[in-house]
Structure formats: structure tokens, C-alpha cells
Amino acid sequence: MIKQLVDLFIAFGRSTMLGYGGGPSIIPLYQNEVVNRYQWMGNEDFGKALAFGNALPGPIATKLAAYIGFKVAGWLGALMAVTAVVLPTALLMVLLVGLMHRLEGNPYIKGMIKGVQPVIFVMLAMLAYDFAKYAFQRSGGPVVFLPFALAAAYFIMVQYLKINAVWGILGALIIGALFMRENAG
């Protein structure tokens, strides 16, 4: 049990400290730790956890850490994983806020930030590509193209009609429950 708790802290702490740009950019790093390195779950289970976590309010990094930590080592695992996500970055932020304020006009710092942005874009694109395999599986319900229709409707609703994203998530949950459910054994 102690080894699992230490592994959770290392996995989520390392990913969080190496992630740049917030929750979405950290997800591929979490996926690598959880699926590839420690094999706590497979890609499909990780994708389901990510989808469910995105349907709930709050930062995705802490929700994923809590869920995966709980699956690995119960409530103590959830606490350890969330602590690994929050504590190191909070401490680092407090220590570096003064330094960053003094260096904000530095051309090297500006160049570093511009240089890492395309890498973050590619990390997110790779995650989206991997996740699409699970998100767009044929629905078990009567309408086989429903996952694509939901994605298109959500994109139009949020991007062009400027409707709050929460309504799309709630609608997708309801539509999924009604039309995309799998028959229980």
C-alpha cells in the first residue's frame, strides 16, 4: 500500500510539474503515467474517466487524480494523488511569482513561451486523436451516428451560438442515457 501511495505521488507530481499550460496539457502526461508506465488502467478506461471528469465542474487535473488515486489505493490514494497535483505547483507558484514579475519583459522568457506553445498544441492534438477512438465508437443504441451528431451539435452550439457549454454537457448526458446505453447483462 505504501508503494502504491508513493507511486501515485510520483506519477501525478511528475506529470503536473512537467505540464505546461494547465489541465488540458497535463492530460497526455497523466495518460502516459497511468496507462503506460504504471498500467493502473487501459486507454479505454482512461478515456472514460476523462469523459466523465469533463462532465463534472472543476479542474480536470484534480478530478482525474482523485478518481485514479481512488481506483488504485482507495481514499488515501485519492488524497495522495490530489496532493501531488496541488501542493508542488502551489508552492512553486508562491516562490516564483516575484521572479516571473521581474522577468516578464525578458526576450528569452518570451521566446521560451512562444517556443513551447506548438509543442503543447501537438500534445493536445495527440490526446484528442487517441480519445476520438473511444468517443466516436458506434453507439449501442438505435442511431449509430449519434456520437458524431452530438459532437457536431456541441461544437456549433458552443462555438457559434455561444450557448453555455454546461447545457451541451447536460444534453449529451441525457441523450446518452436515452439512446446510447448498453443493455445490462
Side-chain angles (χ1 to χ4, degrees):
M1 176 72 146
I2 299 292
K3 181 176 178 358
Q4 289 176 320
L5 295 174
V6 170
D7 286 347
L8 281 165
F9 191 86
I10 290 170
F12 285 98
R14 174 176 33 220
S15 297
T16 302
M17 293 305 290
L18 294 175
Y20 178 87
S25 67
I26 294 171
I27 294 168
L29 301 175
Y30 285 178
Q31 182 182 27
N32 182 58
E33 295 284 341
V34 170
V35 175
N36 299 331
R37 181 164 295 168
Y38 291 100
Q39 299 174 344
W40 289 320
M41 62 178 52
N43 271 320
E44 186 169 357
D45 287 336
F46 186 87
K48 287 177 182 178
L50 178 61
F52 186 66
N54 274 317
L56 299 172
I60 189 63
T62 52
K63 291 181 287 187
L64 274 176
Y67 174 78
I68 293 164
F70 183 80
K71 279 195 72 126
V72 171
W75 287 108
L76 203 52
L79 179 64
M80 185 61 74
V82 171
T83 300
V85 169
V86 176
L87 186 62
T89 55
L91 292 174
L92 190 59
M93 186 69 177
V94 170
L95 293 172
L96 294 179
V97 72
L99 180 62
M100 287 304 293
H101 183 66
R102 282 184 264 159
L103 295 176
E104 69 184 324
N106 184 303
Y108 293 106
I109 299 297
K110 286 182 178 181
M112 289 167 62
I113 292 170
K114 286 182 182 179
V116 79
Q117 287 173 337
V119 173
I120 300 303
F121 169 77
V122 170
M123 288 173 63
L124 291 172
M126 289 170 28
L127 177 68
Y129 177 76
D130 284 344
F131 187 64
K133 291 183 261 184
Y134 303 107
F136 294 110
Q137 287 180 348
R138 296 185 124 221
S139 158
V143 185
V144 295
F145 62 87
L146 197 51
F148 294 102
L150 278 171
Y154 183 84
F155 180 78
I156 291 167
M157 185 182 90
V158 173
Q159 187 67 28
Y160 295 109
L161 301 178
K162 305 296 183 201
I163 297 173
N164 190 307
V166 169
W167 296 113
I169 292 168
L170 290 174
L173 288 170
I174 292 167
I175 290 169
L178 295 175
F179 301 107
M180 298 172 73
R181 65 182 177 264
E182 296 176 12
N183 293 330

